[in-house]
Structures are given as C-alpha cells and as structure tokens.
Amino acid sequence: MAFSSSSMSGKQAAAQGQRPSQYYPAFFESLPSLQDKTVVITGCSRGLGYVTALTVAQKGGSVIMLNRPSERSQQVLEQLQEATKEQEGSTKQRHHAIDCDLLSFESVRQACQKVQDLTRETGINVLCNNAGIMLQPDEASQDGYDITASTNMLSHFVITQQLFPSLQKASAKNKKSPSRIVTMSSASGYGGPPLDVRFFEQRGGSLGGAPASYQRYHQTKLANLLFTSALHDRFQLAQNNNTNILALACTPGVCGTDMFTHATTVMNGQPADTSMVPSVEDGVMAQLKCIFLADVTSGQVWGPGRNGELVCTPLEPPLILIDETSKEQLWEACEKAVGKFNI
C-alpha cells in the first residue's frame, strides 16, 4: 500500500508562519506501515499531536483522539477520515474523537471507558501521552490539583492506568510487536530542581503564583521522565506476567507550536517568529520514532539532535535528576491522587 506524506509545502508553511519542514518529508517516507494497529493520542487538535495523528492515519493506523470538546477536534477527525478514505480496508470508520478534559479525572475516566469499548476486540498498540501546557496560571483543576500538573502528568497517569489492560491485550496478540506507552516530556525537565511532590498534591492555586509558572512546568516534565522510568522498572519486574510493553519518553526541542508562541508571549510580551525555529513536523519526529520504529528500547528518551538526527538521552543523573526515591515518590503521589495502579 502506498502512502503520501502530510508535510506542508513551502507556501503552506509560509502562510502559517512556519519554517518549511527540512527533515520530516524523508522521515515520513522511511516509516513503516501501521496497518491493523490502534494508536490512542491525547491533545491532537493542533501542534505535535495533530501531526502525530495525521502521520499515524496516513501510515494505515487507526487513531483514537482524546481532546477537549471543540469544533477543531471534529475538523481534525474529518481530515483524518478524508486523508485515509482511499486506503485499503477503510470502508468502516477507523478513526474516532472522544471528548476528554484533562482537568477532570471524571472526564478522563469516562473517555477511557469509551476507548475500552472501542478496542474491546483489538486492544491498543500505542498510547501516546502527548498533551501538555506550559506557563499557565496558578489555578486548581476540577479536582483541586494544579492545572499544569493535572494536564501534563496526573491525568496521563489515569489514562495509562485505565488503558493498561487494553495495551496488554494487543501485546498478547502479537508477542513480536510489544505495545508502547510514549510520553511527551521536554528538555525543560532536565536539570534541577529535583522532584517536589507538593506540586502533585491538592494545592492548586497556592503553588507560587505567576513567578513559579516555569517551576510548575519543570516539575511536570521531570515527572514525565520519572513516570517513564518507573513504568519500565515495573515492566521488568513483571516480565513473567505477560507484560510485553515498552515505556518510552520523547522531547520535541524548540519548534513552532502554539506552546512556543504562548511561552514567548508570556516571557517577552509578544510572540517570537515561528519561522526562526524548526517546524512542528520536524519537532515531532522523536515521538514518531517511539511510536513506529523497532530500534527503540523500553526506558529510553529520544529527542532531536543536529541536522535531523534523533538522539537518545541517558535517563540518569546528572542531566536528569532521577533516582529510586524520586520515582517512588512520584508514583505514590499519583496513586494518592487517582487510585492504585498495580502492574
């Protein structure tokens, strides 16, 4: 089956203020088919998640999007269906959009139940914990947690917890093709300060105000890395329990996302020129590698290097402040917030 790249032309990129993609078009062509695979992605109405969803669909995969209710989410679903209507075996609806508000654990659990119903026979091959926010107000979620912590970490813990049996189901069907949990982090999670579990407690609205907005973001991005490592550790211990699942993390580097526009506006009073940084397509390549390619190993973190190269960053000090204590502290804080997650 032949697939066509979703890459923007130079004119399209310029119209959106984006630098034309330098590396994504060739990278897209190198990716294998995901036919008969099901991929669940959070936060894919725009940006990195949107390119991820479109790439998976164009490569033959079935996409389940978990987005906040919006007209844009429905538009993206229509785009996925239109982009893949000519593909072989696409007579039935392959792609789905499920409403999911990451600021409400109840909404997240309801969305997960709908995903379970849709994948009862097939299971889930990849869970892509992509959604994230940065430099946000010091406000509480519906459950009383910091909105950045709820969006970037706690709700993704719930999603992974709830969909874990579906990941196991798909993995059991094909021992040579383990399911994957891919979590989007950031280089903002590198370095200090170390994990502070206060940021994952019911303290929303009282975590330093505007001056601490970057600290709140850093804590969640470090938490994404700790979560990936903690998952990997538990998978290693549960190998005899048919847990054939990879835990992977990725970083996008600086690229022309809405988050980049928002962050530069907050920091500088006006948005920076997105044509001065890599395109969203080039920024998402590490996430796509973790979803698609066989040359990854559980417990790894992938991100952009130079000239389109993707590099694996050691998930260890001194660059990443991770140890057994911090991993257990994060896991316990997440379980206190949303319930036990036994592997």
Side-chain angles (χ1 to χ4, degrees):
M1 184 189 302
F3 302 102
S4 59
S5 170
S6 66
S7 183
M8 289 188 293
S9 68
K11 289 183 179 179
Q12 289 174 315
Q16 297 184 26
Q18 292 262 335
R19 177 191 295 179
S21 299
Q22 293 179 274
Y23 308 110
Y24 174 85
F27 183 74
F28 175 92
E29 296 303 328
S30 74
L31 294 173
S33 169
L34 282 189
Q35 189 167 6
D36 299 324
K37 304 288 187 183
T38 299
V39 181
V40 177
I41 309 169
T42 64
C44 36
S45 60
R46 298 182 67 83
L48 298 166
Y50 167 70
V51 176
T52 299
L54 188 56
T55 303
V56 168
Q58 290 181 313
K59 285 293 183 176
S62 297
V63 177
I64 301 177
M65 302 188 297
L66 301 183
N67 294 325
R68 286 178 298 178
S70 70
E71 184 179 337
R72 173 65 183 167
S73 181
Q74 290 303 310
Q75 290 172 348
V76 172
L77 177 61
E78 292 169 9
Q79 288 179 30
L80 298 187
Q81 292 168 339
E82 179 67 22
T84 59
K85 67 180 182 180
E86 302 299 328
Q87 289 179 5
E88 179 183 333
S90 62
T91 54
K92 65 178 182 178
Q93 183 175 347
R94 276 205 352 245
H95 313 302
H96 303 270
I98 294 175
D99 291 345
C100 181
D101 182 356
L102 298 178
L103 297 182
S104 164
F105 296 152
E106 180 181 1
S107 172
V108 171
R109 291 190 178 98
Q110 289 175 352
C112 288
Q113 183 59 59
K114 293 176 183 177
V115 174
Q116 290 170 337
D117 292 342
L118 283 171
T119 61
R120 198 167 301 282
E121 298 300 322
T122 62
I124 298 168
N125 301 97
V126 182
L127 169 60
C128 185
N129 292 323
N130 167 80
I133 57 176
M134 178 183 187
L135 301 185
Q136 296 296 315
D138 186 1
E139 297 176 354
S141 71
Q142 292 185 32
D143 305 284
Y145 295 87
D146 172 58
I147 59 173
T148 302
S150 182
T151 301
N152 294 1
M153 181 63 239
L154 293 173
S155 284
H156 284 112
F157 189 91
V158 178
I159 292 169
T160 308
Q161 171 200 62
Q162 296 293 306
L163 298 185
F164 187 70
S166 301
L167 289 157
Q168 287 180 303
K169 178 185 286 288
S171 194
K173 286 177 175 287
N174 186 349
K175 299 287 188 182
K176 295 182 179 179
S177 181
S179 296
R180 305 179 184 206
I181 300 168
V182 179
T183 300
M184 177 63 76
S185 183
S186 165
S188 296
Y190 297 172
L195 180 74
D196 184 342
V197 293
R198 292 184 307 116
F199 290 90
F200 304 93
E201 297 171 348
Q202 281 181 307
R203 298 171 182 260
S206 60
L207 286 166
S213 62
Y214 183 79
Q215 188 179 4
R216 292 192 295 275
Y217 179 66
H218 162 78
Q219 286 290 324
T220 64
K221 294 293 101 178
L222 172 59
N224 293 151
L225 299 169
L226 293 169
F227 178 52
T228 296
S229 184
L231 278 172
H232 171 67
D233 291 347
R234 283 163 170 76
F235 294 163
Q236 293 296 103
L237 291 173
Q239 277 185 338
N240 294 332
N241 253 347
N242 296 319
T243 303
N244 184 30
I245 300 174
L246 308 182
L248 299 156
C250 55
T251 65
V254 176
C255 58
T257 60
D258 290 348
M259 183 181 285
F260 171 77
T261 298
H262 168 73
T264 55
T265 300
V266 171
M267 292 186 291
N268 304 322
Q270 60 183 14
D273 183 357
T274 54
S275 70
M276 301 301 292
V277 297
S279 70
V280 176
E281 289 178 337
D282 285 347
V284 83
M285 286 167 50
Q287 181 155 269
L288 295 176
K289 178 181 180 72
C290 291
I291 291 171
F292 279 85
L293 299 185
D295 62 339
V296 295
T297 301
S298 185
Q300 289 182 333
V301 183
W302 286 89
R306 295 184 177 181
N307 301 319
E309 180 187 14
L310 296 174
V311 297
C312 182
T313 299
L315 191 50
E316 61 188 27
L319 183 59
I320 301 174
L321 299 185
I322 184 170
D323 56 31
E324 295 305 314
T325 299
S326 60
K327 286 188 283 188
E328 287 308 308
Q329 286 178 334
L330 175 70
W331 198 274
E332 290 172 6
C334 290
E335 286 192 327
K336 185 177 180 180
V338 304
K340 285 288 185 182
F341 180 8
N342 295 318
I343 294 174

